[in-house]
PDB file of all heavy atoms in Angstrom:
ATOM      1  N   ALA A 209     -49.238  69.252-158.074  1.00 87.00           N
ATOM      2  CA  ALA A 209     -48.176  70.169-157.734  1.00 87.00           C
ATOM      3  C   ALA A 209     -48.766  71.427-157.069  1.00 87.00           C
ATOM      4  O   ALA A 209     -48.098  72.014-156.167  1.00 87.00           O
ATOM      5  CB  ALA A 209     -47.537  70.661-158.959  1.00 87.00           C
ATOM      6  N   GLY A 213     -47.530  71.909-153.461  1.00 86.00           N
ATOM      7  CA  GLY A 213     -46.482  72.870-153.741  1.00 86.00           C
ATOM      8  C   GLY A 213     -47.072  74.334-153.419  1.00 86.00           C
ATOM      9  O   GLY A 213     -46.688  74.984-152.505  1.00 86.00           O
ATOM     10  N   ALA A 214     -47.961  74.703-154.319  1.00 85.00           N
ATOM     11  CA  ALA A 214     -48.488  76.153-154.346  1.00 85.00           C
ATOM     12  C   ALA A 214     -49.209  76.402-152.991  1.00 85.00           C
ATOM     13  O   ALA A 214     -49.041  77.497-152.357  1.00 85.00           O
ATOM     14  CB  ALA A 214     -49.258  76.466-155.538  1.00 85.00           C
ATOM     15  N   PHE A 217     -46.967  76.528-150.039  1.00 89.00           N
ATOM     16  CA  PHE A 217     -46.091  77.756-150.075  1.00 89.00           C
ATOM     17  C   PHE A 217     -46.900  79.092-149.659  1.00 89.00           C
ATOM     18  O   PHE A 217     -46.350  79.875-148.811  1.00 89.00           O
ATOM     19  CB  PHE A 217     -45.586  77.904-151.420  1.00 89.00           C
ATOM     20  CG  PHE A 217     -44.556  79.020-151.662  1.00 89.00           C
ATOM     21  CD1 PHE A 217     -43.305  79.003-150.928  1.00 89.00           C
ATOM     22  CD2 PHE A 217     -44.733  80.006-152.519  1.00 89.00           C
ATOM     23  CE1 PHE A 217     -42.439  80.103-151.016  1.00 89.00           C
ATOM     24  CE2 PHE A 217     -43.892  81.075-152.694  1.00 89.00           C
ATOM     25  CZ  PHE A 217     -42.714  81.069-151.942  1.00 89.00           C
ATOM     26  N   PHE A 257     -36.110  75.449-151.282  1.00 82.00           N
ATOM     27  CA  PHE A 257     -36.909  74.185-151.802  1.00 82.00           C
ATOM     28  C   PHE A 257     -38.047  74.503-152.629  1.00 82.00           C
ATOM     29  O   PHE A 257     -38.153  73.929-153.762  1.00 82.00           O
ATOM     30  CB  PHE A 257     -37.305  73.392-150.597  1.00 82.00           C
ATOM     31  CG  PHE A 257     -38.139  72.164-150.910  1.00 82.00           C
ATOM     32  CD1 PHE A 257     -37.432  71.031-151.245  1.00 82.00           C
ATOM     33  CD2 PHE A 257     -39.515  72.158-150.806  1.00 82.00           C
ATOM     34  CE1 PHE A 257     -38.247  69.911-151.658  1.00 82.00           C
ATOM     35  CE2 PHE A 257     -40.184  71.108-151.204  1.00 82.00           C
ATOM     36  CZ  PHE A 257     -39.531  69.918-151.627  1.00 82.00           C
ATOM     37  N   PHE A 258     -38.968  75.295-152.221  1.00 81.00           N
ATOM     38  CA  PHE A 258     -40.161  75.700-153.059  1.00 81.00           C
ATOM     39  C   PHE A 258     -39.761  76.412-154.262  1.00 81.00           C
ATOM     40  O   PHE A 258     -40.518  76.237-155.372  1.00 81.00           O
ATOM     41  CB  PHE A 258     -41.170  76.412-152.241  1.00 81.00           C
ATOM     42  CG  PHE A 258     -42.015  75.643-151.261  1.00 81.00           C
ATOM     43  CD1 PHE A 258     -41.642  75.535-149.915  1.00 81.00           C
ATOM     44  CD2 PHE A 258     -43.103  74.820-151.783  1.00 81.00           C
ATOM     45  CE1 PHE A 258     -42.549  74.714-149.056  1.00 81.00           C
ATOM     46  CE2 PHE A 258     -43.790  74.138-151.000  1.00 81.00           C
ATOM     47  CZ  PHE A 258     -43.524  74.108-149.562  1.00 81.00           C
ATOM     48  N   GLY A 259     -38.773  77.313-154.260  1.00 78.00           N
ATOM     49  CA  GLY A 259     -38.348  77.984-155.450  1.00 78.00           C
ATOM     50  C   GLY A 259     -37.978  77.108-156.567  1.00 78.00           C
ATOM     51  O   GLY A 259     -38.563  77.206-157.735  1.00 78.00           O
ATOM     52  N   SER A 260     -37.051  76.236-156.371  1.00 75.00           N
ATOM     53  CA  SER A 260     -36.616  75.344-157.383  1.00 75.00           C
ATOM     54  C   SER A 260     -37.757  74.268-157.791  1.00 75.00           C
ATOM     55  O   SER A 260     -37.822  73.985-159.045  1.00 75.00           O
ATOM     56  CB  SER A 260     -35.213  74.530-157.029  1.00 75.00           C
ATOM     57  OG  SER A 260     -35.493  73.874-155.750  1.00 75.00           O
ATOM     58  N   ALA A 261     -38.401  73.737-156.845  1.00 77.00           N
ATOM     59  CA  ALA A 261     -39.413  72.679-157.112  1.00 77.00           C
ATOM     60  C   ALA A 261     -40.572  73.248-157.843  1.00 77.00           C
ATOM     61  O   ALA A 261     -41.149  72.700-158.841  1.00 77.00           O
ATOM     62  CB  ALA A 261     -39.932  72.066-155.844  1.00 77.00           C
ATOM     63  N   THR A 262     -41.028  74.536-157.509  1.00 74.00           N
ATOM     64  CA  THR A 262     -42.080  75.145-158.168  1.00 74.00           C
ATOM     65  C   THR A 262     -41.746  75.423-159.649  1.00 74.00           C
ATOM     66  O   THR A 262     -42.547  75.149-160.567  1.00 74.00           O
ATOM     67  CB  THR A 262     -42.479  76.464-157.588  1.00 74.00           C
ATOM     68  OG1 THR A 262     -42.901  76.157-156.161  1.00 74.00           O
ATOM     69  CG2 THR A 262     -43.660  77.154-158.194  1.00 74.00           C
ATOM     70  N   ILE A 263     -40.591  76.003-159.843  1.00 74.00           N
ATOM     71  CA  ILE A 263     -40.147  76.183-161.314  1.00 74.00           C
ATOM     72  C   ILE A 263     -40.060  74.848-162.110  1.00 74.00           C
ATOM     73  O   ILE A 263     -40.584  74.899-163.275  1.00 74.00           O
ATOM     74  CB  ILE A 263     -38.692  76.891-161.355  1.00 74.00           C
ATOM     75  CG1 ILE A 263     -38.912  78.129-160.699  1.00 74.00           C
ATOM     76  CG2 ILE A 263     -38.237  76.894-162.696  1.00 74.00           C
ATOM     77  CD1 ILE A 263     -37.405  78.954-160.427  1.00 74.00           C
ATOM     78  N   THR A 264     -39.671  73.785-161.466  1.00 73.00           N
ATOM     79  CA  THR A 264     -39.719  72.534-162.115  1.00 73.00           C
ATOM     80  C   THR A 264     -41.031  72.001-162.558  1.00 73.00           C
ATOM     81  O   THR A 264     -41.189  71.618-163.703  1.00 73.00           O
ATOM     82  CB  THR A 264     -38.883  71.548-161.349  1.00 73.00           C
ATOM     83  OG1 THR A 264     -37.649  71.909-160.992  1.00 73.00           O
ATOM     84  CG2 THR A 264     -38.945  70.125-161.967  1.00 73.00           C
ATOM     85  N   TYR A 265     -42.044  71.935-161.684  1.00 73.00           N
ATOM     86  CA  TYR A 265     -43.241  71.337-161.865  1.00 73.00           C
ATOM     87  C   TYR A 265     -44.370  72.254-162.273  1.00 73.00           C
ATOM     88  O   TYR A 265     -45.359  71.726-162.906  1.00 73.00           O
ATOM     89  CB  TYR A 265     -43.705  70.593-160.602  1.00 73.00           C
ATOM     90  CG  TYR A 265     -42.810  69.505-160.177  1.00 73.00           C
ATOM     91  CD1 TYR A 265     -41.853  69.576-159.264  1.00 73.00           C
ATOM     92  CD2 TYR A 265     -42.976  68.178-160.874  1.00 73.00           C
ATOM     93  CE1 TYR A 265     -41.052  68.442-158.955  1.00 73.00           C
ATOM     94  CE2 TYR A 265     -42.157  67.162-160.601  1.00 73.00           C
ATOM     95  CZ  TYR A 265     -41.180  67.262-159.677  1.00 73.00           C
ATOM     96  OH  TYR A 265     -40.432  66.164-159.393  1.00 73.00           O
ATOM     97  N   LEU A 266     -44.255  73.539-162.197  1.00 70.00           N
ATOM     98  CA  LEU A 266     -45.463  74.455-162.725  1.00 70.00           C
ATOM     99  C   LEU A 266     -45.062  75.320-163.763  1.00 70.00           C
ATOM    100  O   LEU A 266     -45.903  75.917-164.205  1.00 70.00           O
ATOM    101  CB  LEU A 266     -45.742  75.282-161.480  1.00 70.00           C
ATOM    102  CG  LEU A 266     -46.441  74.551-160.080  1.00 70.00           C
ATOM    103  CD1 LEU A 266     -46.719  75.595-159.081  1.00 70.00           C
ATOM    104  CD2 LEU A 266     -47.525  73.745-160.590  1.00 70.00           C
ATOM    105  N   ARG A 267     -43.929  75.258-164.277  1.00 68.00           N
ATOM    106  CA  ARG A 267     -43.658  76.060-165.490  1.00 68.00           C
ATOM    107  C   ARG A 267     -44.195  75.445-166.742  1.00 68.00           C
ATOM    108  O   ARG A 267     -44.375  74.115-166.723  1.00 68.00           O
ATOM    109  CB  ARG A 267     -42.146  76.320-165.696  1.00 68.00           C
ATOM    110  CG  ARG A 267     -41.269  75.237-166.140  1.00 68.00           C
ATOM    111  CD  ARG A 267     -39.746  75.758-166.142  1.00 68.00           C
ATOM    112  NE  ARG A 267     -38.879  74.920-166.939  1.00 68.00           N
ATOM    113  CZ  ARG A 267     -38.295  73.842-166.467  1.00 68.00           C
ATOM    114  NH1 ARG A 267     -38.525  73.405-165.166  1.00 68.00           N
ATOM    115  NH2 ARG A 267     -37.509  73.153-167.188  1.00 68.00           N
ATOM    116  N   TYR A 284     -33.030  70.907-155.697  1.00 81.00           N
ATOM    117  CA  TYR A 284     -33.995  70.628-154.537  1.00 81.00           C
ATOM    118  C   TYR A 284     -33.709  69.120-154.022  1.00 81.00           C
ATOM    119  O   TYR A 284     -34.308  68.883-152.980  1.00 81.00           O
ATOM    120  CB  TYR A 284     -35.440  70.989-154.903  1.00 81.00           C
ATOM    121  CG  TYR A 284     -35.990  70.129-155.980  1.00 81.00           C
ATOM    122  CD1 TYR A 284     -36.546  68.856-155.776  1.00 81.00           C
ATOM    123  CD2 TYR A 284     -36.137  70.644-157.306  1.00 81.00           C
ATOM    124  CE1 TYR A 284     -37.166  68.175-156.772  1.00 81.00           C
ATOM    125  CE2 TYR A 284     -36.731  69.885-158.348  1.00 81.00           C
ATOM    126  CZ  TYR A 284     -37.198  68.722-158.004  1.00 81.00           C
ATOM    127  OH  TYR A 284     -37.769  67.957-159.053  1.00 81.00           O
TER     128      TYR A 284
END
Side-chain angles (χ1 to χ4, degrees):
F217 185 59
F257 177 77
F258 278 101
S260 54
T262 300
I263 294 172
T264 300
Y265 290 101
L266 293 180
R267 76 184 194 274
Y284 67 81

